[in-house]
Amino acid sequence: MATLTADQILAADDLGLLKIDVPEWKPAAWTESDGVPCVYCRVMSVGERDSYERLWIGKRETGIENFRTEYLARVLCDDKGTLLFNRDQIEQFAQKSGAVMGRLFDAAMKHNHMSEGDVEQLGKS
């Protein structure tokens, strides 16, 4: 059995994208031919995940303000994997529908292989 090299591992594209339909965010000028509006969710790199977990651990007493929004801003992207939101847009993004954001958050957590248990464990750290 062949063992991977460091170069092969570093060259592997393992940050897969998940397409998520968001009909609730249909722009006014959207037409039937445009199809269903969607966003993509990408897998966090281990460094990005560690950074988010450090943020969570540092705020375990008070919690992270806009917890779901912060998480989604780190994973929602276009079809090329480019993040959609920047730090300056977090507050405005947090004003979106809780139902839609909750659905996106659940899908993003699953796609990133994170569970409620992971979050609970961080709170106990």
Side-chain angles (χ1 to χ4, degrees):
M1 174 164 59
T3 302
L4 292 169
T5 66
D7 288 340
Q8 290 170 321
I9 293 168
L10 295 174
D13 181 9
D14 60 355
L15 302 178
L17 298 179
L18 171 68
K19 180 181 174 186
I20 307 171
D21 290 341
V22 193
E24 300 91 341
W25 290 349
K26 182 173 76 171
W30 204 262
T31 66
E32 292 265 338
S33 64
D34 292 323
V36 178
C38 69
V39 294
Y40 289 83
C41 172
R42 67 184 183 86
V43 174
M44 284 186 188
S45 71
V46 71
E48 291 167 330
R49 184 170 172 161
D50 287 349
S51 173
Y52 189 72
E53 288 178 354
R54 275 192 310 275
L55 176 63
W56 175 256
I57 290 167
K59 303 271 187 166
R60 71 175 173 257
E61 296 299 320
T62 60
I64 299 172
E65 190 169 338
N66 297 321
F67 175 77
R68 288 172 184 77
T69 307
E70 285 279 351
Y71 186 79
L72 289 172
R74 294 167 186 250
V75 297
L76 292 185
C77 61
D78 64 18
D79 62 346
K80 305 280 189 269
T82 303
L83 292 177
L84 298 176
F85 298 96
N86 62 51
R87 305 292 320 144
D88 295 334
Q89 295 172 308
I90 297 293
E91 290 297 322
Q92 188 176 2
F93 189 34
Q95 302 305 308
K96 300 307 297 174
S97 162
V100 176
M101 295 290 274
R103 184 168 52 82
L104 290 171
F105 179 78
D106 290 345
M109 291 280 284
K110 183 175 181 181
H111 187 57
N112 276 273
H113 297 281
M114 291 182 79
S115 68
E116 286 185 34
D118 294 332
V119 173
E120 288 173 14
Q121 189 62 36
L122 287 172
K124 295 176 184 175
S125 297

